[in-house]
Amino acid sequence: MQAAARRPRTNHLDLAQRILDVARQRGFEAGAHLPEQQFASLCNVSRTPVRAALRLLSEKGVVRWEAASGYRLAIDLAAQATMTADLPVAEEDELAEKILRDRSARRLEQTVTVGALMRRYSAERKTVLKSLKKLTEENLLDRAPGQSWLFRRTPDDPEAQGESYEFRLLLEPAAIQTPGFRLDGTRAAALRQGMEALLALPDAAFDTREFQRLDIEFHSMIADGCANRFITDALSDHLRLRRLPGVYAGVNVFRLKQSLREHLTILNHLESRQFEVAADLLRVHLRLSRNQRPQAASRGAPALFGMISRPD
């Protein structure tokens, strides 16, 4: 009997995704050289795990190896808005995603135990513990007494979503207006390419998962640009919750495309250093997203986006 293929190590899978994220943020195009030492420095690791992560990407056709120069990007990450690396998933990562899906669907209580999860998913204790550790590191779980873990409250019901938007309305515009705000130009350019490519797709081909990635990346860019580390940390922790299943449920393609256009308008003013205008537009954008009603597009506030053209 043939042995099952060994799953890649979780840290190599995570690093492979980080390499893709860095390449996308820095606007790397197809054929771009991917120096091991550069990515080791950017990701704060040694060259050995970087080499393993690049091998994983090579197996999936995302990068290619050339004897003369090393690894090169084999695809255009920005142009292919719906591209995923289709990386294999480590067992504990797969279980962590199942746990999150079941919690979002209310199939799990707010408090869970190792034993109950082992029985529910027919998983080994070490796998469950690694999954819980991963979720705890991502600030999605808190350790409770004994062998229990407590899910943090997530914006997956109308009341929590409202509170989430109120929190973001307080902090995100403030992040832009804080003295010392800096926009990462390379990251912004890559985001613009991705958003424009997704907007160009017909509604039937619209990729909600790609929208989620771009949405989180856009708002994370604003958080990271803030010169106040406490605002950055608070927003970054909160934005991690938006990657959970169900956060974008019930929002139609019309509103998602409208949201992308709002992102692009805000980005125009960030790039032109018109931070006050960008902060005002961000408040309007967050209020519209909180309402999540496409009919709101004709009710006053969204006209602000149409009235303000791209700065020269």
Side-chain angles (χ1 to χ4, degrees):
M1 180 176 172
Q2 186 176 5
R6 184 178 179 181
R7 292 175 185 259
R9 292 170 57 179
T10 303
N11 61 329
H12 293 164
L13 290 166
D14 290 344
L15 185 54
Q17 188 58 59
R18 285 168 64 192
I19 288 172
L20 290 183
D21 291 341
V22 169
R24 183 182 286 110
Q25 291 167 9
R26 292 177 173 263
F28 282 25
E29 299 179 349
H33 185 217
L34 304 176
E36 293 177 7
Q37 186 56 57
Q38 180 183 5
F39 280 94
S41 299
L42 289 170
C43 299
N44 197 29
V45 295
S46 69
R47 293 178 63 175
T48 300
V50 168
R51 193 173 298 121
L54 288 170
R55 278 199 299 267
L56 283 175
L57 294 173
S58 178
E59 291 170 3
K60 295 299 175 181
V62 180
V63 305
R64 66 176 185 271
W65 166 261
E66 294 181 357
S69 57
Y71 287 101
R72 291 187 177 275
L73 191 61
I75 60 172
D76 188 339
L77 293 172
Q80 300 186 40
T82 59
M83 192 285 306
T84 61
D86 193 26
L87 294 171
V89 180
E91 191 174 7
E92 56 266 29
D93 290 345
E94 188 174 37
L95 179 57
E97 291 299 322
K98 288 180 181 178
I99 291 171
L100 289 179
R101 284 197 300 269
D102 284 349
R103 173 57 187 162
S104 296
R106 298 293 194 274
R107 291 189 288 265
L108 287 174
E109 299 295 331
Q110 188 174 11
T111 301
V112 293
T113 65
V114 174
L117 294 175
M118 289 171 61
R119 292 188 293 272
R120 180 180 182 87
Y121 300 106
S122 300
E124 295 181 1
R125 183 181 186 83
K126 65 178 182 180
T127 304
V128 171
L129 287 171
K130 286 181 179 179
S131 299
L132 294 175
K133 181 174 182 283
K134 176 182 175 65
L135 295 174
T136 302
E137 289 172 347
E138 294 180 358
N139 293 321
L140 301 174
L141 279 178
D142 287 320
R143 184 70 184 266
Q147 292 296 307
S148 299
W149 272 259
L150 183 69
F151 283 101
R152 290 193 172 189
R153 190 173 186 190
T154 57
D156 58 356
D157 63 68
E159 182 182 358
Q161 286 175 2
E163 292 175 358
S164 171
Y165 277 110
E166 289 302 322
F167 174 84
R168 295 173 63 198
L169 275 163
L170 286 171
L171 286 189
E172 284 196 46
I176 294 175
Q177 293 178 291
T178 300
F181 177 86
R182 295 183 63 181
L183 181 70
D184 184 332
T186 303
R187 189 175 179 183
L191 257 175
R192 179 182 294 281
Q193 284 184 302
M195 290 189 290
E196 290 176 345
L198 186 57
L199 266 175
L201 296 175
D203 288 1
F206 192 87
D207 188 338
T208 305
R209 291 186 64 182
E210 176 65 5
F211 171 85
Q212 182 177 26
R213 184 190 71 77
L214 290 169
D215 183 52
I216 293 170
E217 173 66 10
F218 175 79
H219 291 282
S220 294
M221 179 184 66
I222 291 174
D224 292 341
C226 181
N228 186 308
R229 71 189 72 181
F230 296 103
I231 294 177
T232 295
D233 290 347
L235 283 173
S236 296
D237 284 346
H238 187 75
L239 287 169
R240 288 191 185 98
L241 302 178
R242 295 186 61 76
R243 79 170 184 83
L244 298 179
V247 171
Y248 296 81
V251 186
N252 61 32
V253 172
F254 178 91
R255 173 57 201 154
L256 297 182
K257 284 193 167 185
Q258 183 187 55
S259 183
L260 286 173
R261 294 187 187 97
E262 291 162 11
H263 285 174
L264 289 168
T265 303
I266 294 166
L267 185 56
N268 291 340
H269 291 277
L270 289 174
E271 290 175 332
S272 298
R273 299 184 61 80
Q274 296 185 343
F275 296 146
E276 293 287 340
V277 177
D280 286 341
L281 290 172
L282 180 57
R283 290 187 185 94
V284 175
H285 166 69
L286 290 172
R287 290 185 182 119
L288 288 175
S289 297
R290 178 183 58 190
N291 293 338
Q292 294 186 352
R293 293 197 303 266
Q295 59 265 34
S298 60
R299 295 186 180 179
L304 182 61
F305 285 93
M307 292 167 60
I308 300 179
S309 58
R310 181 168 184 168
D312 295 329

